[in-house]
Amino acid sequence: MTQAATAEAPAKSPFERVGGHPVLQAISNRFYDLMDQDPAYAELRAMHAADLTFMRGALPAFLAGWAGGPRDWFEANPGKCMMSMHAPFPIGRQTADQWAEAMTRAIADTEVTDREIADAMADVLGRMARGMARD
Ligand code: HEM
């Protein structure tokens, strides 16, 4: 008697569910467009370099590995911790809220494959940002 394949297919990672690299790139582009153009994020914008090209590549690369996808950013930055990496920046509740709000908007504005996982990512990223505030 042959045994039926009972093993379940491995669960998809959040990276795959949200739509992979193209979606993370679109979310990041929208995030930096909002930061650049909406005066509500002026304080957050002022903390960043004038040219956001590096960040438009670094953020989606980080998010990919963080969400269970390709780990290129982590391999290029061995041992780099996102929380301690931000320690030199004067992040307060106001700038952390601006980051969280711009990211929530960016995710809401982007066409994603799975809205449920995208909203869960917005929630967790917002908590991470607010965890960086030191006032
Ligand atoms: C809490 C509010 C935050 C502020 C004010 C902030 C600010 C900054 C600044 C000023 C830089 C340096 C880039 C530049 O000079 O242009 C940076 C880098 C970076 N941030 Fe944030 N950040 C925040 C939260 C976050 C969060 C929550 C994440 C990830 C989920 C994140 C991901 C990154 C990444 C990936 C880099 C580039 C690191 C690298 O590849 O070397 N940031 N951030």
Side-chain angles (χ1 to χ4, degrees), residues 64-131:
W66 174 77
R71 297 184 55 80
D72 304 39
W73 185 91
F74 289 85
E75 278 153 23
N77 296 281
K80 197 162 183 173
C81 160
M82 199 38 73
M83 300 304 281
S84 31
M85 194 225 93
H86 283 79
F89 306 122
I91 302 176
R93 262 179 293 180
Q94 199 166 304
T95 35
D97 279 350
Q98 288 176 13
W99 199 104
E101 195 195 304
M103 180 53 75
T104 299
R105 278 178 68 189
I107 289 176
D109 289 351
T110 303
E111 204 172 307
V112 299
T113 309
D114 178 335
R115 180 50 59 191
E116 192 188 359
I117 196 72
D119 289 346
M121 284 170 75
D123 183 48
V124 176
L125 288 168
R127 287 165 199 255
M128 199 190 287
R130 292 188 170 103

Side-chain angles (χ1 to χ4, degrees), residues 5-48:
T6 50
E8 284 179 29
K12 276 189 179 181
S13 66
F15 172 81
E16 290 171 295
R17 286 177 62 190
V18 82
H21 258 304
V23 167
L24 295 178
Q25 185 66 67
I27 289 170
S28 303
N29 284 340
R30 179 69 181 142
F31 175 76
Y32 289 113
D33 287 348
L34 285 168
M35 189 196 279
D36 223 9
Q37 293 158 15
D38 191 326
Y41 312 124
E43 199 184 346
L44 176 64
R45 177 66 187 91
M47 290 170 71
H48 288 77

